[in-house]
Amino acid sequence: GKSFVGWAFALAIVAFQIAMLFEFVTAAEVDLSKDNVDLQYTWRCPRDRVDCDNTADLNWWGWTVFGVLMGTHLLKDVVNGIKLIFLSSKQRHPHHDRLRLFVGGQLLSTVALFTGFVS
C-alpha cells in the first residue's frame, strides 16, 4: 500500500524474520571447545566389534520430501519477488510506485532465499 504505517509494519516484520533466521545461523556454527554444542554424533562404534553403526534417522526419502516442500514453499516467494522487481522496471508506473515495487520484491526475494540458506 501507500501508507507509512503499513510500510513500517512490513519492515518491522521483515526485520523480525531476519533476526529469527540469524539465530539459526549462529546456532549452526559449531565450536567444539564449548560445552554447549548441539552436535549429535551418529556413528556408534562398540568396543567389542570391528564395524561401526550409523544411528542417523536421515535417509534419501526424508531429504527428498524436505527439499520438495521447502522448494515449493520458498520458490513461490522468490518468483513473486522477481515479478515485483520486473514490474518496477516498467515506465508506465510513477517513480514512487516503481520504488515500492523494487523494495518489496527485493525484500521478499531476500527473505525467501535466506530462509532456504538457513534451512
Side-chain angles (χ1 to χ4, degrees):
K2 295 181 179 180
S3 74
F4 175 75
V5 175
W7 272 97
F9 188 68
L11 290 175
I13 296 278
V14 168
F16 183 69
Q17 285 179 330
I18 290 175
M20 285 189 334
L21 291 171
F22 265 113
E23 287 295 319
F24 286 100
V25 170
T26 56
E29 294 176 357
V30 177
D31 184 7
L32 296 177
S33 64
K34 295 182 180 178
D35 290 335
N36 61 353
V37 175
D38 291 333
L39 185 65
Q40 179 182 5
Y41 298 103
T42 60
W43 287 94
R44 184 180 54 170
C45 300
R47 293 180 185 220
D48 59 343
R49 290 191 357 213
V50 177
D51 297 331
C52 295
D53 297 322
N54 187 0
T55 60
D57 293 334
L58 305 175
N59 58 20
W60 68 272
W61 177 247
W63 281 110
T64 303
V65 170
F66 171 76
V68 167
L69 289 175
M70 288 298 294
T72 55
H73 177 74
L74 295 177
L75 193 61
K76 174 186 59 131
D77 287 341
V78 171
V79 168
N80 286 335
I82 291 171
K83 284 181 183 178
L84 287 173
I85 292 171
F86 280 137
L87 279 175
S88 72
S89 67
K90 302 289 184 181
Q91 295 293 330
R92 66 178 177 230
H93 299 296
H95 287 295
H96 63 279
D97 285 346
R98 291 170 63 189
L99 180 64
R100 282 192 350 226
L101 289 169
F102 181 77
V103 170
Q106 189 68 36
L107 288 175
L108 183 61
S109 296
T110 301
V111 170
L113 290 171
F114 190 47
T115 303
F117 168 74
V118 170
S119 297

